[in-house]
Amino acid sequence: MSKRSDTKTTRRRFLTAAAAGGAAIAMPQVSRAQTATLKMQGSWGKADVFNEMAEDYVKRVNEMAGGRLRIDYLVGGSVVHPFQVFDGVHGGQIDAAHTVTVYWYGKHKAASLFGTGPVFGFNANEGLGWIHNGGGKELFEELQTQIMKVNIKSFFAMPMPTQPLGWFKKPINSDADLKGLKYRTVGLAADLFQVMGASVAQLPGGEIVPAMERGVIDGFEFNNPTSDRRFGAQDVAKNYMLGSHHQATEYFEIMFNRTKYNALPAEQKAILQYAAEAVSSANEWKGMDYYSKDLQELINKDKVNVQRTPKSVFDAQIKAWDGLIAQLGSDPFMKKVMDSQKAWVRRVVYYNMTNATDYRGAFEHHFPGVLKV
């Protein structure tokens, strides 16, 4: 046999063996080809930017799963009320939800500590750092599995900017203007404003503007300029107060029925987790773009009077939080959570504030006169 024949034979044997090996490698994929489908409902109306951000998460899961796992997404109210997704996921009426912990804080006030708790000096990005690396996720797992014993597994995403004090028919010039005001907020912020003398109504986003039109409320906050503008806040009020200590940090809670979650193979569980981490950055970057554009539209097109919340309101909120912190701390678990947060803040925020450059000075150098506060 010639060398050329030997070469052809060897090559043919190699290709045959490679094909056989490839088939052997591919065979396990067949067992993973069956699709698991999860039904997820958001807490958001169709037009809300938060609904779009929920869809961003679903898109990442579905594309990364390659057909082996799929989330079908439904807007708020499709199966359960937007404030009832916690019960829906726990009870199995829906498999998953895109929401915020503050919407179920009535079941345990510790829920608000994982999104809209006292202001210790950390922003939402630093708060997500605490959740991921400072003990927060372990404490939340303890709350779910040991204290509340609910059938829910959750991930967190999207460090939200400070939520504005909100929308008012007249500007808020001091903390005295809040006394007796009928005001919409949610969670521990409701307790905070009640201490400050306001009369609080807790309403989902879609019910806020109609309540303002009917005079049920005199002022409200929701979350950000884009959400506010999309549901028509500028049509019922023209004074928008930016900055507040009532909800200085918040994140989305992406929750799953724990029984359904535990039944998934390890790689699908990993996709659900890592998609939350990926979309956290994507949502934040989208918010930077959307929120800043819509704030300019509110100012220039809708002729909204945008002002910075007065210092007296911030000072009054800090004092009100002090009283609430003392009350919340009577619960051992809530004290443990707040102590964990404060330890993180003392170390991390000290570093960040000590190290951060003078961003304001640089901004005012290049854009003199733009900042009015």
Side-chain angles (χ1 to χ4, degrees), residues 26-34:
M27 284 181 67
Q29 302 290 334
V30 174
S31 66
R32 298 193 306 169
Q34 294 183 359

Side-chain angles (χ1 to χ4, degrees), residues 163-166 225 240-244 295 306-309 314:
Q163 296 184 29
L165 186 67
Y240 194 27
M241 311 298 299
L242 296 188
S244 180
L295 182 63
V306 175
Q307 296 185 34
R308 177 75 173 168
T309 297
F314 286 106

